[in-house]
Amino acid sequence: MNLILFGPPAAGKGTQAKRLTAERGYVQLSTGDMLRAARKSGSELGQKVAAIMDSGSLVSDEIVIALIEDALAQNKTAPGFIFDGFPRTVAQAEALDAMLARHGKQIDRVVQLEVDSQQLLDRVAKRFAEEGRADDNPESYKVRLNAYLAQTAPLIPYYEQKNKLRGVDGMAGIEDVATSIAAAIDAR
Ligand code: AMP
């Protein structure tokens, strides 16, 4: 089972991806986590993307596609993948389909966390206070939300046409969201 957790920034994708990893052994592939790790390591890539990430804009398709390509090659025996924060553009989605096909795999399901963006602002303000992620500050978060609406939301019809998309209520509690996601994954 290869799954995309889909939704705007701070919808809870990372939290739910970690649960699925623990419960089902799927491998979580989060381009945001990979880019943050690159920054922490001080690598050339990390330095290149730092300012873009802090602004809330998307880094180039080329960079994130290469990260996913490496991760797929390194996890050939994974029982499944959970893509979290990737793909974020139609070009990334097309590249993902092609990369998976080369490994004899495909996206089986796209679970969309349906959320209220106004309430997300509160969630992000709380996370900013607790974790201090630079791109959770209100200005950057607005840029991230706009990037989602302009560049990522077009993936909804892309996956709808392939009949892969299932929506769940992302504003429910963490346990209830997890239950709905499990049902969306296991439904035929
Ligand atoms: P995230 O934690 O997924 O919200 O990612 C944090 C930041 O990393 C985003 O605001 C982007 O600057 C960058 N990023 C992560 N994933 C992608 C992606 N798939 N495409 C472009 N930029 C990304």
Side-chain angles (χ1 to χ4, degrees), residues 137-159:
N137 78 66
E139 291 77 48
S140 294
Y141 187 72
K142 277 181 197 139
V143 176
R144 292 166 71 200
L145 209 49
N146 285 335
Y148 170 79
L149 294 172
Q151 292 167 275
T152 309
L155 291 179
I156 296 171
Y158 179 88
Y159 288 114

Side-chain angles (χ1 to χ4, degrees), residues 37-98:
R39 290 181 65 171
K40 219 171 165 187
S41 77
S43 69
E44 201 178 314
L45 170 67
Q47 290 173 32
K48 193 169 158 189
V49 297
I52 304 172
M53 287 177 75
D54 288 347
S55 76
S57 300
L58 296 185
V59 308
S60 74
D61 288 337
E62 201 188 353
I63 288 176
V64 288
I65 289 167
L67 288 172
I68 292 291
E69 190 148 37
D70 277 359
L72 290 176
Q74 281 165 24
N75 289 282
K76 285 200 171 123
T77 58
F81 291 105
I82 310 163
F83 297 92
D84 155 19
F86 180 94
R88 259 171 152 108
T89 64
V90 172
Q92 291 176 25
E94 288 170 349
L96 178 60
D97 285 343

Side-chain angles (χ1 to χ4, degrees), residues 3-47:
L3 159 83
I4 296 171
L5 280 182
F6 190 83
K13 302 186 295 291
T15 302
Q16 294 296 337
K18 286 189 174 63
R19 284 185 65 117
L20 286 166
T21 297
E23 287 166 11
R24 300 184 184 226
Y26 299 158
V27 172
Q28 176 191 8
L29 297 182
S30 158
T31 41
D33 285 353
M34 293 175 201
L35 292 167
R36 277 184 288 279
R39 290 181 65 171
K40 219 171 165 187
S41 77
S43 69
E44 201 178 314
L45 170 67
Q47 290 173 32

